[in-house]
């Protein structure tokens, strides 16, 4: 099972599985709140963490993302993109405009560089033409990460995320989801997840994948590989103990893994922040022969 977004009117004309209908299949983002919460969590996790400097740097970017979403909101009608087979914000359905570059320019101007390396990256990006930036963005959105220098990718992706998360927030109330036989990529923008999270509250115990680009979350059953749908021989690794809120879910069939976070064990978890703070778990898991199937927008290969 995976998720497809359809117009409300179309849903009313269809009969859907009564069990699935009881489960919220998609949560669209609230960009300003999402980025502000992330920045706060990153700062909290930076205390006594071996990656403290980098966590604080990421917090600075997240704060600026929150400011950009608040000060420069997007208001668009996406109804025409909800009737196609492809996810509404996928490149095949809605080509990338250059509007996102306004966020990048403002982001680069607002960041105070704390190292010479960051200064050089910012200056280098500012020299790029509109077409050069567009080409790099398209490489990233097509998962062609090797074509973009890792430090540049962090800033480009941060701007793209502000753009796409606001577009995704516009879908809320205008479309819902149904089960289809599509892949486990984000049903909103067709991008890769960061990790999965087991939620609290009214959705206690339900597992959702979190999109690395548009910040949407979508339902996926537990104890199931989110990369190949395998339900056998799933292993879990953690650094502390079996009750740890942070684990890697590993599949013996495709040899992939993705982190799974449990809010019941730690209600303060923020999926992207906690993913960065637990990089040691990634290293240990990869030493066991598993490859990560998701990406973190603050960690791109150099």
């Amino acid at each position: 099972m995976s998720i497809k977004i359809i117009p409300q009117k179309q849903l009313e004309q269809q009969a859907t599985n009564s069990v699935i209908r009881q489960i919220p299949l998609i949560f669209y983002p609230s960009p300003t709140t999402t980025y502000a919460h992330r920045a706060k969590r990153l700062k909290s996790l930076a205390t006594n963490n071996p990656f403290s400097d980098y966590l604080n740097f990421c917090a600075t970017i997240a704060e600026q993302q929150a400011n950009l979403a608040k000060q420069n909101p997007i208001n668009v009608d996406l109804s025409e993109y909800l009737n196609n087979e492809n996810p509404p914000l996928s490149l095949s359905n809605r080509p990338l405009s250059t509007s996102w570059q306004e966020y990048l320019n403002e982001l680069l101007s607002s960041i105070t560089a704390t190292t010479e390396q960051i200064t050089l990256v910012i200056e280098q990006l500012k020299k790029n033409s509109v077409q050069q930036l567009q080409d790099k963005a398209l490489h990233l959105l097509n998962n062609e990460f090797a074509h973009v220098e890792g430090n540049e990718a962090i800033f480009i992706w941060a701007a793209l995320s502000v753009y796409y998360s606001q577009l995704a927030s516009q879908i809320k109330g205008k479309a819902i989801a149904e089960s289809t036989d599509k892949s486990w990529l984000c049903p909103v923008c067709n991008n890769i997840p960061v990790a999965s999270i087991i939620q609290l509250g009214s959705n206690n115990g339900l597992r959702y994948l979190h999109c690395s680009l548009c910040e949407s979350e979508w339902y996926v059953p537990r104890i199931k590989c989110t990369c190949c749908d395998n339900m056998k021989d799933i292993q879990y690794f953690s650094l502390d103990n079996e009750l740890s809120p942070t684990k890697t879910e590993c599949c013996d069939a495709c040899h992939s893994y993705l982190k799974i976070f449990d809010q019941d064990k730690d209600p303060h978890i923020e999926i992207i922040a906690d993913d960065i703070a637990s990089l040691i778990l990634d290293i240990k898991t990869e030493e066991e022969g598993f490859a990560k199937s998701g990406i973190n927008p603050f960690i791109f290969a150099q």
Side-chain angles (χ1 to χ4, degrees), residues 32-246:
T32 302
T33 302
T34 296
Y35 296 127
H37 173 52
R38 182 169 302 151
K40 182 178 180 180
R41 179 63 170 173
L42 283 162
K43 290 180 179 179
S44 174
L45 290 170
T47 305
N48 300 321
N49 190 290
F51 306 112
S52 61
D53 288 345
Y54 192 65
L55 289 167
N56 282 318
F57 167 68
C58 294
T60 299
I61 293 180
E63 286 177 333
Q64 294 306 318
Q65 287 177 297
N67 290 335
L68 289 173
K70 181 178 181 180
Q71 297 169 7
N72 301 289
I74 293 175
N75 186 14
V76 294
D77 182 3
L78 297 171
S79 57
E80 66 178 292
Y81 300 105
L82 303 182
N83 292 302
N84 300 325
E85 287 299 317
N86 299 316
L89 301 184
S90 62
L91 289 176
S92 57
N93 197 41
R94 191 178 192 276
L96 180 66
S97 74
T98 58
S99 299
W100 71 274
Q101 294 190 28
E102 297 176 16
Y103 289 123
L104 178 62
N105 293 332
E106 293 185 41
L107 180 65
L108 295 176
S109 298
S110 64
I111 294 292
T112 300
T114 55
T115 67
E116 183 179 351
Q117 183 182 28
I118 296 174
T119 300
L120 290 174
V121 172
I122 291 176
E123 291 178 351
Q124 184 175 311
L125 278 172
K126 286 182 176 179
K127 294 177 181 177
N128 279 213
S129 67
V130 170
Q131 189 56 53
Q132 286 176 316
L133 291 175
Q134 200 72 356
D135 290 342
K136 290 179 179 181
L138 290 172
H139 279 310
L140 293 176
L141 294 177
N142 284 307
N143 303 325
E144 299 167 348
F145 304 121
H147 292 277
V148 184
E149 197 274 326
N151 289 325
E152 288 188 349
I154 291 171
F155 290 101
I156 294 172
W157 196 276
L160 286 169
S161 180
V162 175
Y163 176 71
Y164 273 96
S165 66
Q166 291 199 83
L167 290 178
S169 71
Q170 302 295 304
I171 299 175
K172 186 175 182 180
K174 300 176 183 177
I176 72 169
E178 68 172 3
S179 59
T180 68
D181 57 358
K182 300 296 182 180
S183 71
W184 284 109
L185 295 175
C186 176
V188 178
C189 69
N190 205 44
N191 229 280
I192 300 173
V194 178
S196 64
I197 188 163
I198 300 172
Q199 295 193 352
L200 277 175
S202 59
N203 300 307
N204 186 41
L206 297 180
R207 191 254 289 267
Y208 290 81
L209 286 171
H210 187 102
C211 181
S212 59
L213 179 65
C214 77
E215 308 286 352
S216 298
E217 293 187 345
W218 66 102
Y219 171 75
V220 55
R222 294 171 63 174
I223 316 179
K224 181 177 183 178
C225 176
T226 56
C227 186
C228 73
D229 287 347
N230 172 53
M231 299 182 69
K232 297 180 179 180
D233 301 319
I234 302 295
Q235 302 183 59
Y236 295 89
F237 295 114
S238 66
L239 292 178
D240 303 318
N241 53 64
E242 291 184 2
L243 298 179
S244 172
T246 303

Side-chain angles (χ1 to χ4, degrees), residues 18-36:
S18 60
V19 175
I20 295 298
R21 288 180 65 184
Q22 295 174 9
I23 298 175
L25 296 180
I26 290 182
F27 292 104
Y28 299 104
S30 175
T32 302
T33 302
T34 296
Y35 296 127

